[in-house]
Amino acid sequence: MSAPETDEVAEIYDELLKTYRTEWEYRGHKSLHLAYYDEDHDDPGEAAMNTMRILSEAADIDGSDRILNIGCGAGEDSVWNASAYGVPVVGVNISETQLELARENARDHGVEKLTTFNYDDFQTLETVEDSSVTLVWGLEALSHSPDRAEALESAHRVLTEDGRIAVTDLFLRRSADSLSTADSERIETVNEALGLRISEIDGFEATLRESGFENVERTDLTEGVYECTKRRKKFASVAHPVGRVLGAVGMASETQLDGLSASARIHELIDSGVLGYYMVIADRE
């Protein structure tokens, strides 16, 4: 299966914004990522913010940091870090539509002077200078990368000598070659619908080290996002049949319907132990 072109990924998510807007109204903010539930965060909106908090604390962010948010989406985590820590954040994305939403989000939260949002592909980071940031941050961004080594080498280039990378994402728990035909087909459904290239967690760690990172720390967060993926599957089971009817009269697109199917498949793959949701922190050598 060939990797999606950059423009194709942007088109997928611009179309899916129509679905995400419904979720944003429900959550109360513009996050696109999976929500992490625990005893203190059992509301969908609070749990989504909790994912950001967990990654920020693990990355040990403080007031001296300069953050690069790869695949920034509508800017929710950029805005959150700027607000919580008073630090400058540069967000990059390949969708002008999402970048404008991010700028609007920053204005609404009063952090427009701390945030900058640029059109850029995190594979190459052409708008980011060498050794200019202390933290490369990504919530479910690198799973879109067709070439992890290239993306990580770009991250390494823009980091200061004492910089680090902090990401959360979906990964295969085991080798893709060991998957059943049914699970392989589910993975393909998810990849095609969401413009992803889900890879093996062990392979990702190896690529990090090969790309010039050390002190790699992996944390399994799957249990915390399980409730989120379960809720998304439940929503998809109701919305997909309705969407089919709306699609017949031009009120829902195939991209939206495929996205709903992908949400259901993600939960099935997590439930069966094929997929895991991991946080990975590493230092630049």
Side-chain angles (χ1 to χ4, degrees), residues 66-70 120 122-137 151-161 163-165 213 284:
R66 302 185 303 279
I67 301 174
L68 172 65
N69 181 187
I70 59 173
D120 199 352
F122 65 69
Q123 289 292 131
T124 53
L125 295 175
E126 294 180 359
T127 66
V128 187
E129 295 182 0
D130 295 1
S131 306
S132 61
V133 298
T134 60
L135 174 64
V136 172
W137 159 291
L152 291 173
E153 286 163 7
S154 294
H156 188 275
R157 173 182 62 79
V158 303
L159 282 168
T160 57
E161 289 187 3
R164 68 266 192 221
I165 187 170
F213 291 91
R284 183 189 189 277

Side-chain angles (χ1 to χ4, degrees), residues 104-115:
E104 178 185 323
N105 203 358
R107 290 192 295 269
D108 289 345
H109 287 83
V111 292
E112 64 271 27
K113 292 183 179 180
L114 285 173
T115 54

Side-chain angles (χ1 to χ4, degrees), residues 5 35 37 46 50 54 59 69 92 101 107 116 119 131 140 147 176 190 192 195 197 220 223 248 260 266 275:
E5 297 293 332
Y37 287 77
E46 292 176 354
N50 195 32
I54 288 171
N69 181 187
V92 296
L101 286 171
R107 290 192 295 269
T116 304
Y119 182 90
S131 306
E140 298 160 37
D147 186 338
V190 172
E192 289 188 347
R197 288 298 175 265
D220 190 337
E223 183 177 352
L260 290 169
I266 286 172
L275 285 184

Side-chain angles (χ1 to χ4, degrees), residues 123-259:
Q123 289 292 131
T124 53
L125 295 175
E126 294 180 359
T127 66
V128 187
E129 295 182 0
D130 295 1
S131 306
S132 61
V133 298
T134 60
L135 174 64
V136 172
W137 159 291
L139 277 175
E140 298 160 37
L142 284 174
S143 54
H144 294 90
S145 170
D147 186 338
R148 303 290 196 280
E150 180 186 36
L152 291 173
E153 286 163 7
S154 294
H156 188 275
R157 173 182 62 79
V158 303
L159 282 168
T160 57
E161 289 187 3
D162 59 348
R164 68 266 192 221
I165 187 170
V167 301
T168 65
D169 225 318
L170 290 165
F171 291 94
L172 291 172
R173 291 187 177 276
R174 58 183 186 270
S175 169
D177 294 336
S178 69
L179 298 180
S180 68
T181 300
D183 285 336
S184 294
E185 290 175 351
R186 290 189 181 97
I187 292 292
E188 185 172 351
T189 295
V190 172
N191 282 342
E192 289 188 347
L194 301 179
L196 302 181
R197 288 298 175 265
I198 297 174
S199 64
E200 301 157 18
I201 183 61
D202 290 342
F204 177 68
E205 286 195 34
T207 305
L208 266 172
R209 294 187 174 90
E210 292 165 2
S211 302
F213 291 91
E214 61 184 0
N215 303 323
V216 180
E217 297 182 9
R218 176 207 299 190
T219 305
D220 190 337
L221 302 180
T222 311
E223 183 177 352
V225 302
Y226 184 87
E227 179 64 22
C228 177
T229 63
K230 181 180 178 181
R231 290 186 181 210
R232 287 189 176 187
K233 179 182 179 181
K234 184 177 181 180
F235 173 77
S237 68
V238 175
H240 193 276
V242 174
R244 279 292 176 201
V245 175
L246 295 175
V249 293
M251 296 179 64
S253 69
E254 284 298 321
T255 298
Q256 289 174 282
L257 293 172
D258 289 346

Side-chain angles (χ1 to χ4, degrees), residues 80-98:
W80 191 87
N81 277 320
S83 300
Y85 297 97
V87 296
V89 183
V90 175
V92 296
N93 203 284
I94 55 172
S95 165
E96 291 287 5
T97 301
Q98 291 186 42

